């Protein structure tokens, strides 16, 4: 059976919103600030829709002490299950620390923005109860939430995010023996391609091992790294081959990793559009990594676990590929913890680095929010805050966002399991080995 109920709109009525912003103006006026509200330009609406848009307000522009700042409110729940609103204020693209803002402004903004957020919900009333039982993480994932002016997908996919993060870590976390090496499975680049670890590799690494079966694209990637290296010290080794788990675990590919990288590295990235988690599992037997970047299978929401498995007769392009967020967490727990999820990529961090990341100043790990990072991150909360586009899978032209909302936010997992299985396996997984489970 293939069906999905379209999620209720849930947006606040215009009269309610107007009342909220009259209150918002009054609050700012009493603080001596001149309010100015504006809405994002139409072109910015092209970003993929949020799975649960009611968890974040639209961007609001205010004038504070002669500066035009942008503010947004994000809904969160404290340890007692009580809702509250976290406010981020930006000067351009830079999130401002609370100490840089006038006294009382954040409290007043939170009070006004909370009224808007209290009107909008996508998840069912039962969602909070069952999600607490099925999740692995426990801490709010506000850093997985963006408004219409920022695409976390683009920040990660372009490489900007990991270059910024490693720049902070190399500078601030000096009691860790960083290797400044990395392994990139699926490193091919052609015109217009980007890669989550390319900028880190080009600007901050000392040694990078590239794998890809596309020889021409691999040469382009290696050339770009060598030509663009800021220090001129990045050594690039490119291996033209399709990787598989046996070759990594006990074959020539594994020997290359052991000789070139050794037992520890700073980052492993896997994006090979096939049995990605199987390749990662085999690689971790060879080399422990500080961070892992995995391509995500976005149409399988948590807590469902999907993974494509290796088989000698693997056919490229047939059926679903990769592995879902919950499968990744199950595979990596407890050695690695979820840091960030997007519809394209997921980032994990080695558990030994948790205290270091939690101790960094707010806004250092995630430049788009000052909300404090705490582990373990709630993967269901992170998923519900993410953006998603309709995705083509198997014989179906696309899986609509409305389907994801039903599976992830509206139905109990026991009820949605059969619906999800029917959509994902209809004629698309007959020739492949895979796991699909709760």
């Amino acid at each position: 059976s293939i069906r999905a109920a379209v999620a209720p709109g849930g947006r606040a009525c215009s009269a309610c919103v107007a009342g909220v912003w009259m209150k918002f103006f009054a609050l700012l006026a009493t603080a001596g600030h001149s309010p100015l509200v504006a809405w994002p330009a139409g072109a910015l609406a092209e970003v993929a829709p949020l799975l649960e848009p009611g968890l974040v307000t639209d961007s609001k522009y205010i004038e504070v002490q002669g500066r035009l700042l942008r503010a947004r409110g994000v809904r969160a729940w404290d340890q007692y299950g009580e809702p509250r609103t976290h406010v981020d204020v930006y000067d351009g693209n830079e999130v401002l620390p609370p100490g840089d803002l006038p006294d009382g402004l954040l409290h007043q903004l939170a009070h006004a923005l909370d009224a808007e957020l209290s009107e909008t919900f996508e998840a069912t009333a039962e969602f909070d109860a069952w999600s607490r039982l099925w999740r692995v993480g426990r801490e709010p994932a506000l850093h997985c939430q963006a408004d219409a002016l920022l695409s976390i997908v683009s920040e990660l996919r372009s490489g900007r995010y990991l270059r910024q993060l490693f720049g902070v870590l190399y500078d601030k976390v000096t009691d860790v023996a960083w290797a400044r090496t990395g392994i990139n499975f699926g490193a091919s680049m052609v015109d217009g391609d980007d890669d989550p670890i390319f900028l880190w590799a080009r600007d901050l690494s000392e040694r990078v091992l590239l794998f890809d079966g596309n020889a021409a694209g691999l040469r382009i990637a290696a050339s770009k790294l060598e030509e663009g290296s800021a220090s001129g010290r990045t050594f690039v080794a490119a291996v033209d081959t399709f990787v598989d788990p046996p070759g990594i675990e006990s074959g020539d590919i594994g020997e290359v990793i052991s000789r070139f990288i050794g037992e520890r590295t700073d980052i492993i990235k896997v994006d090979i559009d096939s049995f990605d988690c199987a390749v990662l599992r085999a690689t971790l037997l060879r080399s422990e990594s500080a961070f892992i970047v995995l391509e995500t299978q976005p149409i399988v929401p948590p807590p469902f676990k999907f993974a494509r498995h290796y088989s000698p007769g693997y056919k490229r392009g047939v059926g679903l590929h990769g592995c879902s967020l919950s499968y990744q967490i199950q595979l990596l727990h407890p050695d690695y913890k979820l840091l960030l999820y997007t519809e394209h990529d997921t980032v994990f961090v080695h558990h030994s680095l948790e205290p270091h990341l939690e101790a960094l100043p707010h806004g250092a790990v995630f430049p788009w929010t000052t909300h404090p990072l705490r582990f373990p991150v709630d993967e269901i909360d992170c998923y519900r805050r993410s953006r998603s586009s309709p995705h083509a899978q198997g014989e179906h032209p696309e899986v609509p966002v409305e389907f994801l909302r039903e599976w992830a936010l509206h139905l109990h997992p026991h009820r949605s399991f059969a619906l999800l299985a029917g959509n994902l396996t209809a004629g698309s997984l007959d020739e492949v080995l895979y796991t699909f489970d709760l």
Side-chain angles (χ1 to χ4, degrees), residues 76-77 84 138-143 371-372 374 377-378 381 385:
W77 285 262
R84 60 184 180 82
R138 291 290 182 269
E139 297 295 336
L142 268 69
H143 58 275
H371 190 271
R374 295 289 181 266
V377 172
D378 183 340
D381 189 41
R385 295 178 183 277

Side-chain angles (χ1 to χ4, degrees), residues 106-129:
L106 283 179
H107 176 75
Q108 292 165 358
L109 285 169
H111 185 63
L113 295 171
D114 182 72
E116 179 179 350
L117 288 173
S118 65
E119 301 289 339
T120 59
F121 290 97
E122 287 286 342
T124 59
E126 298 79 20
F127 170 83
D128 188 57

